[in-house]
Amino acid sequence: MFNSLSDRLTATFKNLRGKGKLSEADVDATVREIRRALLDADVAVPVVREFTAAVKERALGAEVNEALNPAQQIVKIVNSQLQEILGGETRRIRMAKNGPTIIMLAGLQGAGKTTLAGKLGYWLKSQGHRPLLVASDLQRPNAVTQLQVVGDRAGVPVWAPHPGTTSEFDDPTGDPVQVARDGVAHARAKLFDVVIVDTAGRLGVDQALMAQARDIRDAVDPQEVLFVIDAMIGQDAVQTAQAFNEGVDFTGVVLSKLDGDARGGAALSVASVTGKPIMFASTGEGVKDFEQFHPDRMASRILD
Ligand code: GDP
């Protein structure tokens, strides 16, 4: 992921090596190359525009640092702009002051929500928390069973709606909102301190699905609503993110499938377009293939 963007940017900066001073023409040429590299990586046009304008202004502006050569200065500026479009500072989970912290997952079908539930549960458990997964995806056949497999793998209990699927609970209603509510009540009673609610996804943005996600959100009042997006989906990412942002007003973004070889730019646009931070990255199918997202480290990785 980001390999081609990374190579292109690095090559652009190489051209500046050895220059004693940057003329406006040098800056223009560099910014043009950066623009092309970002567009070729699928970064959304308005994000590219804003990005390059800021780089140009800063490169020509007063913030010239005498200790750095021109190439280093541009790298520094691009690094800090990249960090900014990736959401700025590292954003950690907001924990509830009283009772369990509730984290709801939303996104299209196949985005990686169910897989993420296991990863997040595993990660929280390794930090000393007692997470519970709640199976509120009743849309897709096998989604509940899949969450149970994921929970087993992560060593995290699952609250599931159907009779026979857990030894603890039997809920014949099949209502995802009720399942979420009951799951949270169970977590309170049994002193789980984090509840991760998996919700249904569809292949495309769907108003009925969005209303259901909103109903679940309103019923359990989560501290975090994480929008999970497959980094491989290209330009559609921005539109999908905007639809979910309007639909459920998510609090953070999770980029999944960052282990693939997608160009990655659309995923990079999501934080900028929605104004919501990227909080986690999923990097594989295994329960440990998951990391907290640090915009500064990712920016440096891209420019490495
Ligand atoms: P959901 O429909 O949003 O719950 O998506 P799933 O969690 O079922 O994931 C859909 C598919 O993507 C599954 O085959 C997962 O194994 C796979 N998957 C999920 N996250 C990742 C990831 O970070 N990397 C890769 N390579 N595959 C992933």
Side-chain angles (χ1 to χ4, degrees):
M1 182 62 90
F2 305 128
N3 288 346
S4 139
L5 174 63
S6 183
D7 291 349
R8 290 275 297 276
L9 291 176
T10 318
T12 304
F13 302 138
K14 230 176 231 163
N15 292 337
L16 296 174
R17 269 197 212 150
K19 286 198 190 268
K21 202 170 181 319
L22 291 191
S23 65
E24 189 162 347
D26 290 328
V27 171
D28 278 341
T30 305
V31 167
R32 234 182 349 259
E33 278 303 308
I34 295 171
R35 176 182 297 125
R36 278 198 208 114
L38 293 172
L39 288 173
D40 287 349
D42 270 348
V43 179
V45 173
V47 179
V48 174
R49 203 175 290 135
E50 204 179 306
F51 188 95
T52 49
V55 169
K56 182 170 178 184
E57 191 187 320
R58 292 175 64 177
L60 294 174
E63 64 171 80
V64 174
N65 181 337
E66 298 296 337
L68 300 177
N69 68 38
Q72 289 168 331
Q73 283 176 19
I74 292 265
V75 172
K76 185 164 176 275
I77 291 167
V78 171
N79 186 309
S80 90
Q81 283 304 125
L82 268 178
Q83 188 181 333
E84 200 172 311
I85 65 163
L86 290 170
E89 301 292 315
T90 302
R91 222 307 240 115
R92 291 169 205 287
I93 293 175
R94 278 189 293 239
M95 289 292 179
K97 292 204 180 68
N98 298 304
T101 298
I102 298 163
I103 302 171
M104 170 178 154
L105 309 181
L108 294 180
Q109 182 173 317
K113 291 180 297 301
T114 305
T115 312
L116 176 77
K119 293 173 177 183
L120 198 53
Y122 181 85
W123 181 74
L124 286 162
K125 202 176 141 188
S126 73
Q127 299 190 345
H129 291 285
R130 260 196 96 209
L132 175 72
L133 310 185
V134 172
S136 279
D137 176 357
L138 307 187
Q139 213 76 12
R140 189 160 50 97
N142 294 330
V144 172
T145 316
Q146 192 198 340
L147 189 69
Q148 280 172 326
V149 169
V150 159
D152 279 350
R153 218 173 275 156
V156 176
V158 175
W159 179 263
H162 298 308
T165 48
T166 89
S167 56
E168 293 174 310
F169 186 58
D170 179 349
D171 171 32
T173 65
D175 170 6
V177 179
Q178 192 57 40
V179 171
R181 232 185 245 124
D182 290 345
V184 170
H186 176 77
R188 259 182 229 290
K190 302 286 181 190
L191 302 180
F192 288 96
D193 68 342
V194 184
V195 183
I196 299 166
V197 183
D198 191 20
T199 67
R202 296 267 167 86
L203 290 175
V205 174
D206 169 304
Q207 287 318 315
L209 159 78
M210 207 62 91
Q212 183 188 91
R214 224 172 8 244
D215 287 346
I216 294 175
R217 182 198 65 189
D218 293 347
V220 300
D221 193 19
Q223 276 66 38
E224 301 284 3
V225 179
L226 300 183
F227 169 63
V228 185
I229 182 139
D230 177 344
M232 313 278 279
I233 75 170
Q235 288 290 355
D236 285 348
V238 166
Q239 251 186 320
T240 307
Q242 280 170 324
F244 274 89
N245 199 26
E246 282 164 26
V248 293
D249 193 18
F250 56 79
T251 58
V253 178
V254 180
L255 296 181
S256 72
K257 310 190 193 179
L258 271 191
D259 49 313
D261 58 359
R263 290 172 284 189
L268 291 188
S269 314
V270 163
S272 182
V273 166
T274 60
K276 304 287 170 70
I278 302 171
M279 292 174 63
F280 297 102
S282 251
T283 55
E285 297 188 76
V287 78
K288 293 182 194 168
D289 299 330
F290 167 84
E291 54 193 71
Q292 191 151 33
F293 190 86
H294 302 286
D296 54 345
R297 288 187 213 165
M298 184 53 85
S300 300
R301 217 189 287 174
I302 291 172
L303 297 181
D304 195 14

